[in-house]
Amino acid sequence: MDEVDRNILAELQRDGRLTVTELAERVRLSVSPCHRRLRALERSGAISGYHARLDAGVLGLTFEALVFVTMRYEDRETVAAFEQAVTDIPYVLQAQRLFGDPDFLLRVVTRDLAAFQQLYDDRLATLPGVQRLSSTLVMKSVVENRPLPL
């Protein structure tokens, strides 16, 4: 990956809706070489997709919590079952497996506290292998959706 590829990636992180012509202008290439580089970046996996960034608050998802999960059992089957089950919960925006204690960190959004409590009781607390859940509420997001440094 060279400087031109990094420039292409930087521009797409700023605006994923650029046409190839607009992208080529911004990175100072003609359209054909820009298009070839773009397709190569997609094939390599450096670009994994194009997405619209939605505003959770506008969509009524105004309650955000971080949920720390400590597992009772950490055998391969239990962890795999937990990971599969957590991927099936649409209100879990991120799920990360951690070294040490706790074992997982979940970023969860819901409409309000009552919806979070129901999700917590009905879904999160019943996930396979869970020993303990600990939650903290997000006051505000200071850095969010930051582009990757290139």
Side-chain angles (χ1 to χ4, degrees), residues 12-86:
L12 288 173
Q13 284 190 105
R14 279 190 275 284
D15 184 357
R17 296 185 70 182
L18 290 173
T19 65
V20 175
T21 303
E22 292 167 329
L23 181 61
E25 287 174 14
R26 289 190 186 187
V27 298
R28 294 184 172 89
L29 282 179
S30 60
V31 173
S32 292
C34 183
H35 190 258
R36 278 194 300 274
R37 283 176 176 263
L38 179 60
R39 293 297 170 242
L41 289 165
E42 290 170 345
R43 280 191 304 275
S44 75
I47 298 172
S48 61
Y50 299 89
H51 310 278
R53 192 170 25 214
L54 306 180
D55 186 315
V58 171
L59 298 173
L61 299 169
T62 59
F63 188 88
E64 184 174 347
L66 301 176
V67 180
F68 301 94
V69 180
T70 301
M71 301 295 287
R72 175 176 291 113
Y73 308 108
E74 295 186 61
D75 60 275
R76 187 175 301 178
E77 294 79 22
T78 303
V79 169
F82 173 88
E83 290 177 355
Q84 179 55 56
V86 85

Side-chain angles (χ1 to χ4, degrees), residues 81-130:
F82 173 88
E83 290 177 355
Q84 179 55 56
V86 85
T87 64
D88 294 334
I89 303 172
Y91 296 97
V92 175
L93 300 184
Q94 288 181 300
Q96 297 171 313
R97 189 168 181 194
L98 309 174
F99 281 109
D101 186 39
D103 299 301
F104 288 89
L105 170 61
L106 310 179
R107 181 173 162 236
V108 177
V109 295
T110 61
R111 288 184 323 278
D112 53 27
L113 177 60
F116 176 71
Q117 180 183 354
Q118 183 174 5
L119 178 71
Y120 188 98
D121 293 343
D122 296 348
R123 302 284 302 273
L124 300 178
T126 64
L127 289 168
V130 170

